[in-house]
């Protein structure tokens, strides 16, 4: 029987697999940031251990840092960034510092630098590490104890997950994007539908997507319960990677492409589970509730409790709507919006910003809306400014920020106020995620751009040019 | 790591599915560089009113459940963010164990690494427990890791599954890092066996 993409990558990284013990797998690239690493370094120090492979460890600062020019940083962000600098310096780890030219959201910067490569195992103390699966890597988030394990041993103990094929076939209609594909998948399969599994996104629709879009889809695998999501590498992958700083060169590049091209799932491989999505039938999606599975097409309405299967689901819907200030059966279009956030490791790449800018160009942000664009990295920001996207956004009334996680998780000063509705391109609509009491409506960059202009949820398909 | 063995304690019913780690501890509590002080942030958005006063409507603030060490939660508990702070917060607050029909994968893993026991029980058992605990907050539960049983209030025992290796680690208070470091020879051999380090 053939092997899946996941099986091939897994099998190549097994260090030890003995009866009665968890499998030990080797980690090729370990990404770290300022929030989930300080306690791990402290653990190493307390045991007198050193970082085993500093040259396979890469750090950046993204979660807690401000994304606007402020004279004085908060003490806690200073302390976390200071600890990261000290830890990287002492251990010889490459740090993409906010003071330098390379910096941004860890899941935007590592692919840009060519660190993310097909067939690798990649981990980070951040659940959206699944993003890197877009390159055919096995990439997943870990906790801080495991960050310490990888720092000290370059290995992890893992239960082998099961495989889950998500087949996406058909042609996307204009105005329907990668974000809508993944929101539709999670709405269909549920926020916990992928627990214990690794998704592999397959099919003609996926093959037709560029790397930014593939990253958007893999990024939200965790929102569907799967720790990792993967896409087989192909010519699109190699074109994106070629010439990036850490990508192989010369003969090593040619050899690598041959090796990577053998990673795709074999024709006779069998997945533990599967799900089919008809891309041609998809519409722009928007969430109404407090987990990413609570999403509907923008032309749809908030579900009604009477249509749900069991009491617990009804209670959860009622609790979510109570928090969101929405009512059962309410159409999504016309829902008021206070804030628009375009950014996050899901949707802050240059392609995302280009698409949003095309909607915004020549239009104005509604008077009552506060709108911000937070590029995923300094490189994205520079590229956008080179193309004049910053002026398009600024002229429309958007704030143009520095690179970071910003209002996706509201660890820095970018917080939505209590009760405010945020049209957001990020990945989580959890209660209070974007600020205490904030209400998130997840959607694509072009849908968020449209919402900014109209001051409410609208179907972007009426605004395409 | 502290050993886990028999947990005999009262329990709190948290009647909700999909309790994500942002609910367990909001991001504003993640600004520390140590593991200390997390208990204060546990369920902060539910536990405190906007004024900072305890929210009397939230079950953790109900004096009848004071001292409970077991949390009984809905499906997909601990989904979302990888923050291990969620486990630190639960443990520092005084919980030793969570019973739920299912868990977020990363949270489940993080729990085991902190001597904090995540127990998967059928949804029907959780529903029944919620009813009993809401009716009588004095109800004691026994969670016995050695025999992998939860003794329910009706004296019936419900078996739960846990990986045998994980179970032994919890019973003996062994942490994973020691196990991994003991694999040094195999790790070195694996590295030597590769033509070139992938990220070099």
């Amino acid at each position: 029987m053939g092997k899946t993409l996941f099986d091939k990558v897994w099998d190549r990284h097994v260090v030890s697999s003995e009866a009665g013990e968890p499998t030990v797998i080797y980690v090729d690239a370990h990404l770290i940031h300022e929030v989930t690493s300080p306690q791990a370094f402290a653990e190493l120090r307390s045991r007198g251990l050193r970082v085993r492979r500093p040259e396979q460890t890469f750090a950046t600062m993204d979660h807690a840092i401000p994304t606007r020019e402020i004279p004085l940083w908060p003490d806690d962000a200073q302390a976390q960034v200071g600890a990261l600098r000290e830890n990287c310096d002492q251990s010889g780890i490459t740090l993409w510092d906010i003071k330098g030219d390379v910096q941004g959201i860890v899941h935007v910067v590592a692919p840009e630098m060519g660190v993310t490569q097909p067939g690798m195992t990649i981990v980070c103390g951040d659940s959206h590490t699944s993003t890197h699966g877009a390159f055919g890597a096995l990439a997943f988030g870990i906790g801080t104890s495991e960050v310490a394990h990888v720092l000290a041993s370059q290995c992890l103990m893992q239960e082998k997950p099961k495989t889950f094929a998500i087949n996406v076939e058909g042609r996307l209609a204009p105005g329907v994007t990668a974000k809508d594909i993944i929101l539709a998948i999670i709405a269909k399969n549920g926020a916990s539908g992928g627990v214990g599994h690794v998704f592999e996104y397959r099919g003609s629709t996926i093959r037709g997507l560029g790397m930014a879009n593939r990253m958007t889809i893999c990024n939200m695998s965790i929102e569907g319960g799967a720790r990792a999501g993967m896409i087989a590498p192909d010519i699109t992958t190699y074109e994106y990677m070629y010439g990036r700083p850490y990508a192989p060169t010369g003969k090593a590049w040619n050899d690598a492409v041959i090796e990577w091209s053998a990673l795709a799932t074999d024709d006779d491989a069998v997945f533990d589970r599967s799900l089919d999505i008809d891309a041609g039938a998809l519409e722009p999606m928007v969430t109404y509730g407090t987990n990413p599975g609570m999403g509907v097409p923008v032309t749809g309405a908030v579900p009604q409790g009477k249509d749900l299967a069991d009491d617990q689901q009804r209670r959860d819907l009622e609790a979510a709507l109570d928090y969101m200030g929405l009512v059962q059966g309410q159409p999504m279009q016309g829902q008021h919006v206070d804030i628009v956030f375009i950014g996050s490791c899901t949707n802050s790449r240059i392609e995302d910003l280009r698409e949003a800018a095309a909607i915004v160009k020549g239009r104005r942000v509604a008077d009552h809306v506060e709108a911000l664009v937070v590029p995923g990295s300094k490189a994205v920001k520079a590229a956008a400014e080179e193309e004049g996207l910053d002026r398009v956004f600024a002229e429309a009334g958007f704030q143009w920020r520095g690179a970071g996680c910003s209002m996706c998780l509201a660890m820095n000063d970018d917080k939505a106020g209590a009760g405010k509705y945020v049209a957001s391109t990020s990945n989580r609509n959890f209660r209070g995620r974007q600020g205490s009491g904030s209400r998130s409506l997840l959607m694509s960059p072009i849908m968020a751009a449209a919402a900014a202009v109209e001051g409410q949820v609208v179907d972007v398909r009426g605004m395409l040019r | 790591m502290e050993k886990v063995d028999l947990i005999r304690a009262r329990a709190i019913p948290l009647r909700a599915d999909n309790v994500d780690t942002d609910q367990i501890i909001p991001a504003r509590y993640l600004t520390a560089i140590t593991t200390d002080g997390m208990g204060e942030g546990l369920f902060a958005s539910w536990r405190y009113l906007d004024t900072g006063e305890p929210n009397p409507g939230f079950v953790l603030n109900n004096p009848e459940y004071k001292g409970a060490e077991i949390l009984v939660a809905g499906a997909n508990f601990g989904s979302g963010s990888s923050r291990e702070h969620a486990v630190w917060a639960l443990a520092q607050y005084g919980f030793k164990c969570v019973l739920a029909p299912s868990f977020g994968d990363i949270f489940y893993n993080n729990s085991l690494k902190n001597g904090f026991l995540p127990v998967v029980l059928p949804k029907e058992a959780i529903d029944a427990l919620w009813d009993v605990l809401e009716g009588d907050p004095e109800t004691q539960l026994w969670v016995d890791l050695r025999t992998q049983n939860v003794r329910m209030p009706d004296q019936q025992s419900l078996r739960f599954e846990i990986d045998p290796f994980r179970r032994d680690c919890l019973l003996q208070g062994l942490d994973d890092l020691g196990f991994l470091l003991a694999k040094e020879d195999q790790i070195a051999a694996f590295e030597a066996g590769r033509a070139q380090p992938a990220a070099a």
Side-chain angles (χ1 to χ4, degrees):
Chain A
M1 194 177 76
K3 286 182 173 184
T4 65
L5 166 62
F6 161 76
D7 291 321
K8 293 181 190 184
V9 180
W10 175 272
D11 289 351
R12 285 172 192 210
H13 291 86
V14 173
V15 169
S16 134
S17 173
E18 287 171 35
E21 289 182 356
T23 306
V24 175
I25 65 162
Y26 192 76
V27 173
D28 291 320
H30 185 196
L31 312 175
I32 60 175
H33 62 83
E34 76 275 26
V35 175
T36 59
S37 68
Q39 297 89 349
F41 282 101
E43 176 74 10
L44 260 63
R45 275 194 292 275
S46 77
R47 293 179 180 232
L49 297 167
R50 290 166 31 154
V51 177
R52 184 184 167 87
R53 290 285 167 203
E55 72 280 13
Q56 287 169 234
T57 313
F58 300 88
T60 191
M61 36 191 77
D62 52 9
H63 279 66
I65 57 160
T67 58
R68 59 179 143 196
E69 299 285 336
I70 52 173
L72 193 64
W73 282 23
D75 288 347
D76 40 20
Q78 285 274 26
Q80 288 191 323
V81 162
L84 185 68
R85 284 182 180 136
E86 200 178 312
N87 288 328
C88 289
D89 185 49
Q90 285 175 2
S91 302
I93 293 169
T94 299
L95 170 62
W96 297 313
D97 195 300
I98 194 165
K99 289 189 289 197
D101 295 333
V102 178
Q103 173 265 334
I105 307 175
V106 61
H107 310 309
V108 177
V109 178
E112 273 174 4
M113 294 301 287
V115 165
T116 303
Q117 296 174 15
M120 275 186 166
T121 46
I122 302 176
V123 300
C124 175
D126 187 283
S127 59
H128 293 110
T129 307
S130 56
T131 310
H132 307 266
F135 292 78
L138 174 60
F140 52 87
I142 56 177
T144 295
S145 292
E146 290 180 316
V147 172
H149 297 171
V150 180
L151 288 174
S153 72
Q154 206 58 33
C155 288
L156 275 178
M157 300 161 62
Q158 287 291 304
E159 302 293 325
K160 190 174 183 179
K162 295 193 171 83
T163 55
F164 195 139
I166 297 184
N167 306 304
V168 190
E169 293 288 352
R171 204 181 162 84
L172 291 173
V176 183
T177 68
K179 183 64 163 286
D180 304 306
I181 295 176
I182 188 63
L183 285 173
I185 290 168
I186 302 167
K188 191 167 178 180
N189 199 45
S192 61
V195 167
H197 292 75
V198 169
F199 289 149
E200 183 185 328
Y201 304 97
R202 301 160 56 77
S204 58
T205 319
I206 302 296
R207 285 195 299 275
L209 297 174
M211 291 314 294
N213 286 328
R214 293 182 188 185
M215 283 190 259
T216 296
I217 290 178
C218 288
N219 172 274
M220 289 188 70
S221 302
I222 182 73
E223 311 313 334
R227 274 178 92 179
M230 303 174 79
I231 294 173
D234 60 12
I235 184 73
T236 304
T237 320
Y238 312 144
E239 277 176 356
Y240 174 97
M241 290 179 60
Y242 187 75
R244 294 191 181 265
Y246 285 85
T249 54
K251 182 177 182 303
W253 169 266
N254 294 338
D255 293 347
V257 168
I258 292 168
E259 195 184 317
W260 296 338
S261 300
L263 289 170
T265 293
D266 297 328
D267 290 341
D268 57 343
V270 176
F271 290 86
D272 294 300
R273 287 176 66 193
S274 69
L275 175 73
D276 294 327
I277 298 285
D278 175 4
L282 296 180
E283 295 184 66
M285 295 287 292
V286 55
T287 63
Y288 57 85
T290 54
N291 74 58
M294 293 174 153
V296 287
V298 65
T299 55
V302 176
Q304 312 220 31
K306 63 180 171 58
D307 300 329
L308 295 177
D310 71 54
D311 285 349
Q312 186 59 38
Q313 285 183 340
R314 271 187 289 277
R315 270 197 300 272
D316 284 347
L317 175 68
E318 281 163 19
L321 296 184
D322 185 50
Y323 179 84
M324 292 296 292
L326 302 181
V327 294
Q328 299 188 13
Q330 171 191 337
M332 289 312 298
Q333 291 190 78
Q335 168 57 44
H336 176 83
V337 165
D338 301 292
I339 297 169
V340 172
F341 170 64
I342 297 178
S344 86
C345 55
T346 316
N347 279 127
S348 64
R349 297 178 181 82
I350 188 69
E351 293 85 346
D352 299 316
L353 303 193
R354 272 184 205 134
E355 289 177 13
I359 297 295
V360 163
K361 193 172 173 121
R363 294 177 169 133
R364 285 285 308 169
V365 170
D367 286 342
H368 69 272
V369 170
E370 181 192 355
L372 59 159
V373 180
V374 185
S377 69
K378 285 193 171 178
V380 171
K381 185 173 188 179
E385 288 173 355
E386 177 83 27
E387 295 177 24
L389 303 184
D390 58 325
R391 288 194 304 280
V392 172
F393 284 118
E395 280 163 15
F398 278 85
Q399 300 170 41
W400 180 249
R401 296 295 191 80
C405 300
S406 178
M407 202 185 277
C408 174
L409 86 164
M411 266 200 79
N412 70 359
D413 58 339
D414 298 325
K415 291 177 170 59
K420 298 289 185 191
Y421 289 98
V422 190
S424 181
T425 67
S426 55
N427 37 55
R428 290 191 170 135
N429 51 355
F430 298 156
R431 290 177 177 85
R433 170 81 178 180
Q434 299 190 278
S436 210
S438 63
R439 295 156 160 173
S440 308
L441 307 162
L442 303 180
M443 58 187 78
S444 71
I446 55 174
M447 281 285 289
V453 171
E454 297 296 331
Q456 56 184 345
V457 174
V458 292
D459 187 342
V460 68
R461 289 175 294 182
M463 293 171 70
L464 299 175
R465 298 189 243 237
Chain B
M1 199 169 81
E2 250 180 77
K3 292 180 188 176
V4 183
D5 190 338
L6 176 67
I7 301 163
R8 192 170 51 176
R10 291 185 301 127
I12 291 187
L14 185 64
R15 210 183 256 275
D17 285 348
N18 296 309
V19 175
D20 55 77
T21 53
D22 271 81
Q23 306 315 307
I24 300 173
I25 188 162
R28 60 184 180 276
Y29 290 92
L30 308 191
T31 55
I33 55 171
T34 68
T35 59
D36 301 336
M38 298 294 161
E40 197 186 314
L42 180 69
F43 295 123
S45 302
W46 295 346
R47 220 166 113 202
Y48 307 116
L49 299 170
D50 293 342
T51 56
E53 298 294 307
N55 171 11
F58 184 51
V59 66
L60 256 71
N61 293 327
N62 182 340
E64 294 185 315
Y65 293 102
K66 204 169 162 50
E69 293 177 352
I70 299 169
L71 189 65
V72 183
N76 204 23
F77 186 81
S79 53
S81 161
S82 64
R83 59 189 69 167
E84 197 161 320
H85 310 64
V87 179
W88 301 334
L90 285 161
Q92 288 173 23
Y93 181 85
F95 286 113
K96 293 187 168 154
C97 171
V98 181
L99 315 180
S102 60
F103 291 91
D105 282 338
I106 306 177
F107 176 87
Y108 188 88
N109 257 320
N110 287 344
S111 298
L112 298 172
K113 287 167 175 58
N114 287 275
F116 184 80
L117 183 62
V119 172
V120 177
L121 288 184
K123 180 175 154 32
E124 299 70 39
I126 297 291
D127 282 340
L129 272 177
W130 281 339
D131 289 343
V132 171
L133 295 171
E134 282 169 359
D136 179 10
E138 292 297 322
T139 307
Q140 279 230 342
L141 298 182
W142 295 43
V143 181
D144 188 347
L145 179 60
R146 211 167 281 279
T147 62
Q148 294 178 229
N149 273 295
V150 178
R151 197 163 88 191
M152 303 289 279
D154 62 4
Q155 302 304 318
Q156 273 201 341
S157 273
L158 264 185
R159 187 175 163 82
F160 63 89
E161 293 306 319
I162 184 167
D163 178 74
F165 178 87
R166 294 294 178 187
R167 175 177 159 272
D168 289 350
C169 286
L170 289 168
L171 287 170
Q172 296 173 51
L174 300 177
D175 73 30
D176 293 2
L177 187 47
F179 172 86
L180 283 168
L181 294 172
K183 297 280 180 194
E184 172 56 33
D185 290 352
Q186 279 154 287
I187 298 169
F190 179 89
E191 286 179 329
R194 305 184 112 197
Q196 55 193 45

